Amino acid sequence: DILQLGSLEKRFDVIECSGVLHHMATPLAGWRALRGLLAPGGFMRVALYSALARARLDAVSSHLIADQPVEEQIRTRRAEILSLAPDAPARVLCQTADFYALSGCRDALFHESEARFSLPEIAAALEEMELELLGFEGPSDSVRAAYGQINPGDPKMLDLSQWDAFEREHPDSFLAMYQFWCRAG
């Protein structure tokens, strides 16, 4: 249990957390617990769901029905998504690797608990936890190029307020997740 890790005496130079925090009841509490284990100057890789990107999947997300085979439910939902009009918001899921793997699709569409974040929320958390943003692991090269063209004053691509404005115009930018590196102060 991440929330119980605070009792560890050890500190770590690198902590990676992907696919975990956004499924916790209190994701920031989990992140704080991990932050407490980070050595001074240590690096942390965090991955969180984007509220803007994930909102496009709301129409096709649901919960698994207990008395039906899981694989069948996932395959049925994928077929429904593939039958949507090409411009339907949920069709964006077809651009992800998760869509084509049963476990990934289950996580993307049928997870019991999912917390979503905005970039301003992430900025506030980084500040509170005294973590310095080092940069995004994603998004794609084409998204980075578009961002750079619009925001030439942010060559390191670290301005979360500019990224927030960009994402509002391009909500699929962080479809997979926000994946970023930060460093303890």
Side-chain angles (χ1 to χ4, degrees):
D1 182 350
I2 288 175
L3 298 177
Q4 302 303 313
L5 293 177
S7 63
L8 290 177
E9 299 287 327
K10 220 171 172 184
R11 295 298 170 259
F12 299 90
D13 294 322
V14 178
I15 295 175
E16 291 192 50
C17 187
S18 179
V20 176
L21 295 176
H22 53 252
H23 292 307
M24 295 180 69
T26 55
L28 288 176
W31 193 359
R32 286 182 197 105
L34 293 174
R35 169 60 177 102
L37 298 173
L38 195 60
F43 298 91
M44 183 180 284
R45 180 182 175 272
V46 179
L48 300 167
Y49 282 144
S50 162
L52 287 170
R54 299 290 294 176
R56 299 189 56 170
L57 305 180
D58 287 345
V60 292
S61 295
S62 66
H63 296 287
L64 292 170
I65 300 167
D67 62 347
Q68 293 182 10
V70 172
E71 294 84 3
E72 182 181 313
Q73 291 178 69
I74 294 169
R75 287 186 179 109
T76 298
R77 185 55 46 92
R78 282 196 301 207
E80 290 169 3
I81 292 168
L82 287 169
S83 70
L84 293 172
D87 61 344
R91 280 291 299 235
V92 73
L93 188 60
C94 299
Q95 299 172 22
T96 69
D98 283 346
F99 184 74
Y100 300 96
L102 284 174
S103 62
C105 199
R106 179 180 184 160
D107 187 51
L109 296 175
F110 294 98
H111 210 285
E112 293 295 320
S113 174
E114 177 181 294
R116 299 170 180 185
F117 290 82
S118 68
L119 287 168
E121 289 171 321
I122 290 171
L126 290 168
E127 183 176 343
E128 174 207 320
M129 291 184 252
E130 298 180 3
L131 293 167
E132 172 194 4
L133 178 66
L134 298 177
F136 289 104
E137 195 168 288
S140 69
D141 290 342
S142 62
V143 168
R144 287 177 167 283
Y147 174 87
Q149 193 167 26
I150 294 169
N151 298 288
D154 184 21
K156 293 184 178 182
M157 301 185 176
L158 298 176
D159 187 330
L160 292 181
S161 63
Q162 293 297 326
W163 271 112
D164 182 52
F166 181 85
E167 186 183 21
R168 288 180 187 288
E169 292 293 319
H170 310 278
D172 296 338
S173 298
F174 295 97
L175 183 61
M177 279 188 265
Y178 298 122
Q179 297 177 66
F180 55 92
W181 285 90
C182 47
R183 179 175 45 212

